[in-house]
Amino acid sequence: MKTLLIRADAPRVFGLGGIAAFPMGLGYVAAILQKQHEIDVIDMVVETLDDDSLASRVGDINPGVVGISSDTLSFGRAIEVAVQVKMLNPEIVIVVGGAHANVSAREVLKYDCFDVCVHGECEESILELWGRIEDGAGYEGLPNVAYRKGQEIV
């Protein structure tokens, strides 16, 4: 399944944010997923894409799933990116993860632009999660995965 992984950029506040270190977690996820799926990665910290450029890239890639990684400082931008992706194609499944999701998975899913939240060490279950997304199956029983079941966040 075509997958686009995005690291959201953070605003620069008093010289903080926007550090261009390699996103290890996103790298691990990409390495695992590429065994069975077609993966593209956008690192918005390095590429500094505006909204139009991001929309163009997402449209060109035409993913079935977009995974967005963010820390707390970049979480606002992650929401903006997810909303933009959903506006381009509401059928794209958006999976959010990263440091912010690790500490507040249920809070993250209060934003309906995100479909699934991975938290903690998800490397062991990520292939199964992607397989279930591809098959249109449920997420029950997957470790470190939060999702909505009706109005309830599980």
Side-chain angles (χ1 to χ4, degrees), residues 82-95:
V83 167
Q84 186 176 8
V85 169
K86 284 291 190 185
M87 286 177 22
L88 290 168
N89 181 351
E91 299 302 312
I92 294 174
V93 175
I94 299 183
V95 179

Side-chain angles (χ1 to χ4, degrees), residues 72-89:
T72 300
L73 192 59
S74 64
F75 186 66
R77 182 66 174 139
I79 294 168
E80 292 171 1
V81 168
V83 167
Q84 186 176 8
V85 169
K86 284 291 190 185
M87 286 177 22
L88 290 168
N89 181 351

Side-chain angles (χ1 to χ4, degrees), residues 1-3 28-40 123-135:
M1 176 172 37
K2 271 190 155 179
T3 298
Y28 288 138
V29 169
I32 292 167
L33 288 174
Q34 75 178 358
K35 294 175 184 178
Q36 296 179 12
H37 302 280
E38 183 179 336
I39 306 297
D40 285 284
E123 288 86 356
E124 293 179 15
S125 61
I126 200 79
L127 279 174
E128 186 174 350
L129 172 60
W130 253 243
R132 290 187 189 192
I133 291 170
E134 192 169 35
D135 295 340

Side-chain angles (χ1 to χ4, degrees), residues 41-50 57:
V41 178
I42 296 175
D43 186 343
M44 295 182 71
V45 173
V46 175
E47 296 188 46
T48 60
L49 299 175
D50 62 20
R57 292 277 299 277

Side-chain angles (χ1 to χ4, degrees), residues 14 16 20-21 23 31 51 54-55 62 69 71 73 96 132 135-136 138 140-141:
F14 305 113
L16 300 174
D51 289 346
L54 177 63
N62 191 26
S69 178
D71 56 22
L73 192 59
V96 64
R132 290 187 189 192
D135 295 340
E140 293 83 7

